[in-house]
Amino acid sequence: MTAIVGILNKRGIAIAADSAATITNNKGRKVLNSETKIFRLSQKHPVAVMIYGSSSFMTTPWDLIVKLYCCKRGDKGRSSLKEYVDDFIDFIGDEDYF
């Protein structure tokens, strides 16, 4: 079970997530306590993605997808969070390997 928290006020936002992840296979379940669930979309702009639920998209780990996006499109600023969301979804649809 993942816990993700966001707190917003007039001066900023704080986000946090737990670090536990459960992996289930034919041998049973295993809990890992060192998983990263928050990833920056840009090195220049304060925008991030929080992972909840599945750790992959079409067998590609979300952290790899976010890092690819950051390398290819992350430096370009957007005027709203919705534009970041739309561009990220377009990026996933445009790439042939997903």
Side-chain angles (χ1 to χ4, degrees), residues 70-84:
C70 188
C71 289
K72 290 187 175 186
R73 298 187 184 180
D75 288 344
K76 180 182 176 197
R78 315 288 186 302
S79 61
S80 69
L81 188 56
K82 182 176 180 348
E83 287 184 22
Y84 277 99

Side-chain angles (χ1 to χ4, degrees), residues 22-95:
T22 305
I23 298 173
T24 306
N25 60 23
N26 58 356
K27 295 179 182 178
R29 288 180 168 184
K30 182 175 183 177
V31 177
L32 305 173
N33 292 313
S34 60
E35 294 299 308
T36 303
K37 298 179 183 178
I38 300 174
F39 303 96
R40 292 181 68 163
L41 273 183
S42 170
Q43 295 300 321
K44 292 184 176 182
H45 308 283
V47 179
V49 172
M50 297 187 337
I51 304 299
Y52 172 79
S54 178
S55 63
S56 63
F57 174 71
M58 299 181 72
T59 70
T60 303
W62 277 112
D63 63 321
L64 179 60
I65 296 170
V66 172
K67 287 175 186 174
L68 287 170
Y69 174 86
C70 188
C71 289
K72 290 187 175 186
R73 298 187 184 180
D75 288 344
K76 180 182 176 197
R78 315 288 186 302
S79 61
S80 69
L81 188 56
K82 182 176 180 348
E83 287 184 22
Y84 277 99
V85 172
D86 293 342
D87 191 56
F88 186 71
I89 291 170
D90 289 344
F91 170 77
I92 292 171
D94 293 343
E95 298 299 318

